[in-house]
Amino acid sequence: MAKLNPYLNFDGKAEEAFNFYKSVFGGEFLGEVHKMGNAPGTENLSDEEKNRVMHIALPIGGDLLMASDIVPSFGQNLNVGNNNYVSIFPESREEADRLFKGLSEGGNIEMPIEDQFWGDYFGSFQDKYGVHWMVNYNEGYTK
């Protein structure tokens, strides 16, 4: 079966955001943090754009959270919207609370984490980088 991993785009904040995510989830980046300036054909980029992230990956459980920065001089624009969420399924209520609290710090909580009518312990928010997250714990999912 194919494996799906969320891939996020930032406007010059990918490395900062991933250092923040690493501080919450723990672990180490998979491979190096690849910068735009190391890619062929980027010689004419500004120093700021050369320092943008071409690819970064953080293992979380058995999955990978990956990202890159846009390059405005390539005509790329970032439109932050609510059409993408990263949905996390922690292994305990305690882990759900820790992840929700850590990731939502400085962001906007849409739905506080609490027991929901459908039986799950759930909450959602937009973090301080504009990324939308859902934290969803159900004891039945971890068995």
Side-chain angles (χ1 to χ4, degrees), residues 11-25:
D11 189 2
K13 298 280 188 182
E15 190 168 13
E16 178 184 327
F18 268 60
N19 280 316
F20 170 69
Y21 300 150
K22 187 169 108 173
S23 76
V24 174
F25 289 108

Side-chain angles (χ1 to χ4, degrees), residues 117-137:
F117 69 90
W118 61 85
D120 291 358
Y121 187 59
F122 175 88
S124 64
F125 55 91
Q126 180 181 32
D127 74 17
K128 62 185 174 183
Y129 299 102
V131 176
H132 293 261
W133 298 82
M134 297 177 199
V135 178
N136 196 84
Y137 173 71

Side-chain angles (χ1 to χ4, degrees), residues 2-79:
K3 186 170 181 76
L4 300 176
N5 290 302
Y7 203 102
L8 309 174
N9 285 309
F10 294 90
D11 189 2
K13 298 280 188 182
E15 190 168 13
E16 178 184 327
F18 268 60
N19 280 316
F20 170 69
Y21 300 150
K22 187 169 108 173
S23 76
V24 174
F25 289 108
E28 297 298 326
F29 297 133
L30 182 64
E32 63 184 278
V33 177
H34 299 277
K35 299 292 181 122
M36 295 291 180
N38 295 332
T42 60
E43 299 80 19
N44 295 326
L45 292 179
S46 68
D47 288 342
E48 188 274 330
E49 286 186 333
K50 285 180 181 177
N51 197 43
R52 286 180 175 232
V53 172
M54 183 175 61
H55 179 75
I56 190 169
L58 179 64
I60 301 172
D63 301 311
L64 279 177
L65 181 63
M66 300 177 289
S68 62
D69 283 313
I70 63 161
V71 181
S73 67
F74 288 173
Q76 298 172 342
N77 295 304
L78 180 70
N79 297 308

